[in-house]
Amino acid sequence: MFRVRSSRLVFASLFAVPLVSAATAQEPPTADSAVGQDIEVIEVTGERRSVTGLSPKNNPVDGVFGGDKVLADIPRSVTPISSQLLEAAAINDLHDISKVAPNTYSAAGFGAPSLPTIRGQLGEIFQLGMRRQGGNNGLGIPLSFNSVAQVDVVRGVAPVILGSTQRTGGFVNLQPKQAQLQETDNIVQLSAGRWQQYRAQVDMNQVLDNGKQALRASVEVVREDSFYDYAGYDSDNIYLAWRWLPDASSELNLHAEFYDVDWTDNAGLNRPTQDLIDHGWYVQGQGVQPNGSTVPGAFAVVSPTGQVKIPRSQVYTDPLDINNAQTYLLFGDYQRDLGDGWEFTQTAYFQHLEREEIAQNSFVEIIDGATTFETRSTWQREWAPGQVSWFGGNLRYNDVLGFSQFTTEADLPVDLTGPLSNRRIPLTAAQKARLVELRPDVWVSPGTQYDIDGDGAGDFNLSDTTDSTSYQLGVFVQHEQPLSVDWLLQVGLRADWYDVTARDPIAPAGVTPAEDSHSEWLYGAQASLSYSLNPDSTFYLSTNYTESTSNSMAGGTVLGADQQINPLNFATENEAVELGYKYAPANSPWYLDAAVFEQTRSLRNRDGSNSGIKNRGFESQLFYTQDALWLSLGYTYLDARYDESASFQDSRQVYDAFDNSRPDIVQGTGVGAPNFAFFPASSARAQGQPDHTAAMALGYQLSEAWEVGGQLSYSGDYKLDYLNKVRIREQHTLNLFAQFLLNNDRTRIRLDVFNVTDQDNWSPVFEGGYFGSTLVFPELPRHFEVTLTQRF
């Protein structure tokens, strides 16, 4: 027997934070909500377990677009991924969301994705509608799903309620697990996979006051070796949730999370020639600098000594590298129904992050402390049925102390088939003179440029070192107005006052540390018009505009070489227009949507400059869930081009790294690499992004005891580097699973086999294409995972 429950909860209590006095709000149920009051119970009997929770149309999106909205009522391209679908499709990290969410194809992110890629560009991570700290252009800390109940994937810029962001391709909103107010299952899950990969999770719920108060705890431990040389992943995550309904009109949710992770910065394989992509042939020979040194450095040239089939596990890693992070988060919301059509929500979020990476190739990124606090007050007023307004304000504080050094890296000169010493870059006295010693033998860039010797030229290398503090104070209003029975208009406006001060935290001896401040108004607007052709079909046209910031690690702001904050970091205008159709018939297993879009945005380059990108495309998703079968289909066409903007690459082309002494192996140019190439403004296609992607996922319950299924992904042929000298060919990945259910579905044993056909697939290492001529990531070969889930 299966039981489907629906209820409408009203909330109350006080969640005291800045910007608010006692106020009100209401939270409709989410996929993870516990049963509250006024319960409507529908009994459904049958031999097979329900698959309705797998369809996005059955999982509301909470708070992102105002109130609790179902997919059919949102005039945007969105994919809510429920906890049931996360498990069914084996979605364990941000790369995996592409299995069911169109237009989310992503680069490898140096082996550990910290941010989503949406519509060919980096997006943000929100949690409970509050923006989390992210990586530095995608290089950040991995994300644990231990605290997550639902992942809402939203394509396009953030709506006005969420505010100005740094990245604008789209975002994922993590809806956290909630404590259940009535008795529910506790869960223990254990998994083991190839290469000694182990994961354990215990998820416990305790009702403190039936129907009113509960506590939930989830603990996850991961210990993973790796297919890749000198790589691994170890993490511990502890999550707590407390829920309290003190009366009939209010609710308080508090959440706490601690995450400690050690992982490997995996640069994949260097020297991505077309022969490496197509046949696995790697050109040997250590590069030589113009001064004769074989230590990797700028403008080094390789005289090829041979060509071998390189093992795909023999990647650019080092056993002496250090890479770890710790972060803790406190967040929650208070909601109250004031009556007479008024509701109130107060949300608050606090995060502290520390990170340390010291690599043998001279790369350093140390965050000695990044602290973020944000709180938002939202009032909702229903003037008449369907006529609703949301308005409010938020305060965001971000403080970052970080040290960085990436100016002496050199990847192409390294011969990965030689000794480990080939990969290591001990700094010379001349290089150290252009840096500052943070602690014994750890050298970083100062926070800005200084002319010590008075010759009119700067004497230091610059990276992303900063000590910056920013305040963002925003106000917003959003309104929905029915124009007739079939037409609905939605408009929204927002203004944010952004104030930042940046200081040099490690200025060279003998100078006055530089400091600068900058203030700017950032504006946003949105409008959409929806037309209901019939109760099942809706067309919509939406347009969104936002002004975003261009930041460095952990959202900090750096000083430029002129010791000033660059005002262009606050002039990044982003526009998106989307025309879409949604088919969501009630009492039907089908859901379908499709959208065409045009979106402009700004890409932060490695040197701190910005390039404009214009994306056009089409995206569509279809879901079918009924009885024993669930099915997901997605397709994307993406035309991403530079918007008459410049582009940068580590090297102009991979063949610059080689001379032409062995044309039988590789025809080189002898220019030397890395050579820090600049390409003038153009409308060329952006590198590292396929034009076409498609994905299918499905599951079928053969009987009460057995379920089988799988997932197939496809990406079209695309250029890896700006000049189109090397291409990643068409590729696909097939994953299969079988699941055995027993003890009335309280025990599950699942076998996943990934990359069943053992494809030699590739992906870009880094977002934005900077390393397209230098590095490429070999994806995993065939591997498996066995998972035991026990409910009690």
Side-chain angles (χ1 to χ4, degrees):
M1 178 179 294
F2 310 104
R3 179 167 296 175
V4 180
R5 293 169 173 164
S6 64
S7 65
R8 183 165 180 81
L9 303 179
V10 287
F11 317 111
S13 194
L14 177 64
F15 189 38
V17 282
L19 294 182
V20 337
S21 53
T24 41
Q26 185 172 8
E27 178 194 60
T30 66
D32 199 54
S33 297
V35 177
Q37 301 169 354
D38 302 323
I39 304 170
E40 176 190 356
V41 179
I42 303 172
E43 302 286 350
V44 181
T45 61
E47 295 183 352
R48 303 183 188 274
R49 61 192 182 93
S50 172
V51 295
T52 56
L54 294 163
S55 177
K57 79 172 185 178
N58 298 321
N59 297 289
V61 177
D62 184 19
V64 174
F65 296 96
D68 204 12
K69 292 182 176 293
V70 297
L71 195 55
D73 294 337
I74 301 173
R76 291 282 298 274
S77 182
V78 183
T79 307
I81 307 175
S82 67
S83 57
Q84 191 175 351
L85 185 54
L86 288 170
E87 181 178 6
I91 297 173
N92 297 310
D93 61 32
L94 290 172
H95 279 165
D96 290 340
I97 64 175
S98 62
K99 295 177 180 179
V100 296
N103 222 342
T104 56
Y105 179 89
S106 61
F110 286 94
S114 63
L115 293 167
T117 300
I118 302 174
R119 289 182 176 171
Q121 54 200 290
L122 284 174
E124 296 282 7
I125 297 176
F126 286 79
Q127 191 154 19
L128 200 66
M130 311 297 282
R131 180 157 53 105
R132 284 181 62 130
Q133 291 171 344
N136 186 359
N137 269 20
L139 178 63
I141 67 172
L143 182 69
S144 170
F145 280 5
N146 180 49
S147 65
V148 177
Q150 179 169 307
V151 179
D152 299 326
V153 183
V154 181
R155 290 166 280 276
V157 301
V160 296
I161 289 177
L162 300 187
S164 176
T165 62
Q166 177 180 346
R167 305 165 187 93
T168 56
F171 62 93
V172 298
N173 181 50
L174 308 177
Q175 293 193 32
K177 294 176 178 177
Q178 284 188 318
Q180 306 295 303
L181 296 176
Q182 293 185 347
E183 292 297 338
T184 187
D185 291 339
N186 296 312
I187 301 172
V188 174
Q189 189 171 82
L190 305 172
S191 66
R194 192 180 178 186
W195 309 302
Q196 297 182 341
Q197 297 186 343
Y198 305 105
R199 184 184 302 255
Q201 185 186 81
V202 179
D203 191 346
M204 310 287 287
N205 191 85
Q206 179 65 52
V207 176
L208 304 177
D209 187 355
N210 191 40
K212 292 188 175 181
Q213 189 175 181
L215 180 68
R216 184 172 183 175
S218 185
V219 178
E220 179 188 66
V221 177
V222 179
R223 297 293 182 268
E224 293 184 352
D225 206 340
S226 178
F227 162 74
Y228 304 108
D229 294 349
Y230 314 119
Y233 183 100
D234 294 341
S235 72
D236 301 290
N237 187 284
I238 302 172
Y239 170 74
L240 299 173
W242 177 58
R243 190 179 185 191
W244 182 36
L245 274 66
D247 54 43
S249 59
S250 62
E251 177 167 339
L252 176 65
N253 287 280
L254 297 177
H255 312 266
E257 182 176 359
F258 173 76
Y259 184 42
D260 183 8
V261 59
D262 290 90
W263 78 104
T264 301
D265 186 342
N266 188 341
L269 295 176
N270 65 346
R271 304 182 181 177
T273 64
Q274 194 64 60
D275 216 11
L276 177 68
I277 300 298
D278 293 343
H279 308 296
W281 289 103
Y282 184 85
V283 181
Q284 295 175 290
Q286 184 74 356
V288 179
Q289 292 189 54
N291 63 7
S293 173
T294 58
V295 173
F299 291 95
V301 176
V302 178
S303 295
T305 60
Q307 191 176 26
V308 297
K309 287 264 190 176
I310 190 170
R312 291 168 63 86
S313 62
Q314 197 169 330
V315 292
Y316 198 163
T317 54
D318 194 299
L320 298 182
D321 286 352
I322 297 171
N323 198 17
N324 57 68
Q326 302 82 37
T327 186
Y328 60 87
L329 307 90
L330 302 170
F331 57 100
D333 61 359
Y334 160 71
Q335 308 176 25
R336 185 174 182 83
D337 186 345
L338 290 177
D340 196 26
W342 284 95
E343 299 178 8
F344 172 79
T345 301
Q346 184 69 45
T347 311
Y349 184 90
F350 174 87
Q351 181 178 5
H352 181 78
L353 168 69
E354 294 183 0
R355 184 205 174 186
E356 179 164 291
E357 178 173 5
I358 302 173
Q360 296 302 303
N361 70 345
S362 76
F363 177 84
V364 175
E365 182 167 293
I366 296 173
I367 301 175
D368 266 356
T371 301
T372 301
F373 172 75
E374 184 171 3
T375 183
R376 179 169 59 241
S377 304
T378 304
W379 285 265
Q380 176 181 324
R381 177 66 159 99
E382 184 174 11
W383 309 96
Q387 183 180 350
V388 186
S389 297
W390 295 266
F391 53 92
N394 75 291
L395 169 68
R396 180 179 175 85
Y397 164 84
N398 194 58
D399 184 76
V400 179
L401 174 60
F403 305 93
S404 177
Q405 148 56 6
F406 51 68
T407 62
T408 55
E409 288 180 84
D411 298 326
L412 277 172
V414 173
D415 184 351
L416 292 178
T417 65
L420 283 174
S421 58
N422 281 4
R423 314 178 183 196
R424 295 172 177 169
I425 304 178
L427 299 179
T428 66
Q431 289 172 323
K432 291 178 180 178
R434 297 186 61 83
L435 301 170
V436 182
E437 193 171 23
L438 175 65
R439 53 180 187 252
D441 209 29
V442 176
W443 297 83
V444 298
S445 298
T448 187
Q449 190 60 267
Y450 301 93
D451 180 12
I452 302 293
D453 57 16
D455 64 354
D459 297 321
F460 295 91
N461 296 345
L462 298 186
S463 301
D464 279 337
T465 296
T466 187
D467 178 6
S468 63
T469 304
S470 66
Y471 297 88
Q472 185 175 336
L473 182 64
V475 293
F476 63 87
V477 60
Q478 178 179 303
H479 181 72
E480 289 184 0
Q481 179 66 49
L483 303 179
S484 69
V485 174
D486 301 323
W487 291 91
L488 177 66
L489 175 67
Q490 182 192 89
V491 294
L493 296 172
R494 183 175 181 108
D496 287 90
W497 175 248
Y498 194 96
D499 182 84
V500 60
T501 298
R503 299 159 291 271
D504 183 355
I506 189 167
V511 303
T512 301
E515 178 176 324
D516 189 33
S517 297
H518 184 84
S519 299
E520 191 88 24
W521 278 102
L522 305 174
Y523 298 100
Q526 65 187 46
S528 65
L529 185 63
S530 302
Y531 172 69
S532 296
L533 182 65
N534 54 54
D536 300 334
S537 299
T538 302
F539 291 90
Y540 67 88
L541 174 65
S542 70
T543 179
N544 294 265
Y545 171 84
T546 187
E547 295 175 349
S548 60
T549 59
S550 180
N551 304 101
S552 62
M553 55 181 169
T557 299
V558 297
L559 294 169
D562 60 356
Q563 302 187 359
Q564 304 290 310
I565 296 173
N566 188 351
L568 294 180
N569 288 342
F570 307 89
T572 53
E573 298 181 344
N574 306 271
E575 299 176 353
V577 178
E578 185 177 312
L579 175 64
Y581 167 75
K582 297 190 176 185
Y583 175 69
N587 303 317
S588 168
W590 294 98
Y591 173 80
L592 168 69
D593 67 31
V596 293
F597 64 89
E598 178 175 292
Q599 184 167 336
T600 61
R601 53 100 178 189
S602 182
L603 167 70
R604 183 177 187 267
N605 298 308
R606 189 172 170 86
D607 68 348
S609 64
N610 294 282
S611 295
I613 302 289
K614 178 175 287 187
N615 292 333
R616 299 183 179 93
F618 170 82
E619 56 207 15
S620 180
Q621 58 186 346
L622 178 147
F623 285 84
Y624 177 86
T625 54
Q626 189 175 47
D627 298 330
L629 175 68
W630 66 270
L631 170 68
S632 164
L633 293 173
Y635 170 75
T636 299
Y637 169 72
L638 179 66
D639 180 13
R641 296 180 179 272
Y642 288 94
D643 191 12
E644 298 303 328
S645 288
S647 180
F648 299 82
Q649 271 186 180
D650 183 60
S651 294
R652 186 171 179 83
Q653 57 176 300
V654 64
Y655 302 105
D656 288 348
F658 309 105
D659 62 25
N660 203 31
S661 61
R662 291 289 306 274
D664 57 315
I665 295 177
V666 62
Q667 294 184 349
T669 67
V671 172
N675 52 47
F676 316 111
F678 164 80
F679 300 98
S682 74
S683 59
R685 275 189 180 271
Q687 63 270 43
Q689 300 173 20
D691 300 344
H692 302 273
T693 57
M696 177 181 70
L698 61 85
Y700 183 75
Q701 193 170 352
L702 298 171
S703 66
E704 288 187 58
W706 284 98
E707 181 178 349
V708 296
Q711 185 270 329
L712 176 65
S713 297
Y714 163 84
S715 61
D717 177 283
Y718 63 96
K719 67 178 187 178
L720 182 61
D721 63 314
Y722 182 88
L723 291 177
N724 196 18
K725 297 295 184 179
V726 178
R727 297 186 68 84
I728 292 181
R729 309 302 190 183
E730 288 183 322
Q731 53 190 27
H732 71 273
T733 303
L734 174 64
N735 307 317
L736 297 177
F737 76 85
Q739 186 166 243
F740 180 61
L741 317 174
L742 65 157
N743 192 20
N744 195 24
D745 196 22
R746 302 191 71 80
T747 304
R748 299 186 192 180
I749 302 173
R750 173 172 169 142
L751 171 65
D752 283 278
V753 182
F754 302 99
N755 194 7
V756 172
T757 55
D758 206 20
Q759 300 296 301
D760 289 338
N761 291 334
W762 304 91
S763 63
V765 166
F766 197 57
E767 305 289 350
Y770 181 81
F771 289 106
S773 60
T774 305
L775 302 167
V776 68
F777 196 83
E779 296 184 359
L780 290 171
R782 182 190 302 119
H783 58 290
F784 67 89
E785 183 178 71
V786 178
T787 303
L788 168 66
T789 304
Q790 179 65 54
R791 301 175 184 272
F792 58 91

